[in-house]
Amino acid sequence: MPNERLRTVMADAGWTYASLAERVDVDPKSVERWVNLGRTPRRGTAVRAAEILGEDLHALWPAFRRARAARASSPELVALYGQRAGAPMSAFVDMLAQARERIDVLVYAALFLHEMYPRLNDLLRERAAEGCVIRIAVGDAGSDNVRARGQEEKFGHGIESRCQLALMHYRPLIGVPGIDIRTHGTTLYNSLYRADDHVLVNAHVWGVTAYRAPVWHLRRSGEGGMFDTYAESFDAVWSTATPVRHER
């Protein structure tokens, strides 16, 4: 898959395949393959390129973070991040961008998605147009469980307003073929971000805000594993959620 993050960084700064290749001391065709084919360069080369571009190495090539972060006792574990704040935005965006069949998002608000990646709705429209089935479940601002989460995290009514704002972000997608938006009032034990056979699980810790809680990246490797457990959990919540309609 193309490395869209690298393509954007290069375009914004005016780098061409040839000019970056000259600075990094590689063949221009290598840079072209990094961008168009999503190839990952050797670590030393990648470090030089990231420094020249002024970009985080792991944001450009998440594989290096995964290689360092994953200490898998399970074949499904791809990476483990101590805090969501420590996971690069590209870990979320690249996974969603590569989805071909399904995207599922289960959150209360997760405003960071739209704040850090303003093209999120465009990306979801593009994936839906290519045949992806997309299901987004955000928190019902009026539910007891959402209010309780605000008290537990000492965030008060702020979490209710964040749920409302999240729904405002997603409202332009209502009615788009292939995209379904719902609200739910369940206890949110984990926020889930699924794309085909990959899922990012943001575990929730009592009294701790989501960005300080850990995230693990799972890849489905067979039936009945951890991935399937979270996928089944999403389906259970989805069955209780309320569809969001166009405002009259």
Side-chain angles (χ1 to χ4, degrees):
M1 295 299 299
N3 188 329
E4 297 296 346
R5 180 61 175 264
L6 178 58
R7 188 194 307 278
T8 299
V9 169
M10 289 179 60
D12 288 348
W15 290 98
T16 65
Y17 299 146
S19 62
L20 182 59
E22 183 178 2
R23 287 291 303 277
V24 181
D25 194 22
V26 297
D27 189 277
K29 288 191 176 296
S30 294
V31 179
E32 184 178 358
R33 286 192 287 269
W34 300 347
V35 175
N36 293 328
L37 300 180
R39 298 283 176 81
T40 301
R42 293 180 179 177
R43 186 179 184 87
T45 302
V47 169
R48 289 198 302 275
E51 289 176 348
I52 290 167
L53 293 170
E55 183 72 10
D56 179 70
L57 170 68
H58 302 112
L60 292 176
W61 292 287
F64 290 115
R65 182 183 290 275
R66 291 198 293 268
R68 183 183 68 180
R71 297 292 183 268
S73 57
S74 164
E76 292 184 280
L77 182 61
V78 177
L80 174 63
Y81 306 99
Q83 295 184 338
R84 193 193 73 197
M89 192 60 196
S90 58
F92 294 85
V93 174
D94 292 350
M95 186 183 71
L96 296 176
Q98 293 172 25
R100 292 294 176 267
E101 298 179 358
R102 177 177 300 281
I103 290 175
D104 290 334
V105 176
L106 172 63
V107 297
Y108 273 165
L111 295 180
F112 77 96
L113 288 175
H114 283 95
E115 292 171 348
M116 298 296 290
Y117 190 69
R119 284 197 71 255
L120 180 64
N121 282 4
D122 292 333
L123 185 154
L124 295 175
R125 286 191 189 94
E126 292 164 3
R127 293 294 86 233
E130 292 294 327
C132 260
V133 174
I134 299 175
R135 301 183 293 178
I136 310 290
V138 299
D140 178 352
S143 77
D144 291 339
N145 285 318
V146 167
R147 286 194 290 268
R149 178 60 58 84
Q151 295 170 1
E152 293 163 2
E153 296 181 358
K154 298 180 176 59
F155 205 60
H157 294 293
I159 192 166
E160 296 160 38
S161 62
R162 291 174 72 83
C163 289
Q164 292 169 344
L165 182 55
L167 188 55
M168 289 175 62
H169 280 307
Y170 287 114
R171 273 198 178 277
L173 299 176
I174 296 173
V176 174
I179 300 180
D180 195 354
I181 312 293
R182 298 187 182 184
T183 59
H184 71 98
T186 62
T187 302
L188 191 66
Y189 296 105
N190 302 280
S191 292
L192 303 177
Y193 309 86
R194 175 189 176 180
D196 293 340
D197 286 343
H198 289 258
V199 63
L200 290 165
V201 180
N202 186 187
H204 293 297
V205 181
W206 195 94
V208 175
T209 52
Y211 70 85
R212 292 175 50 210
V215 170
W216 44 86
H217 179 174
L218 301 177
R219 178 179 58 233
R220 189 174 188 270
S221 64
E223 294 185 1
M226 290 189 294
F227 179 95
D228 284 351
T229 297
Y230 287 112
E232 291 165 6
S233 175
F234 180 95
D235 289 339
V237 172
W238 188 254
S239 69
T240 72
T242 302
V244 179
R245 306 301 184 190
H246 279 294
E247 293 181 328
R248 294 180 182 271

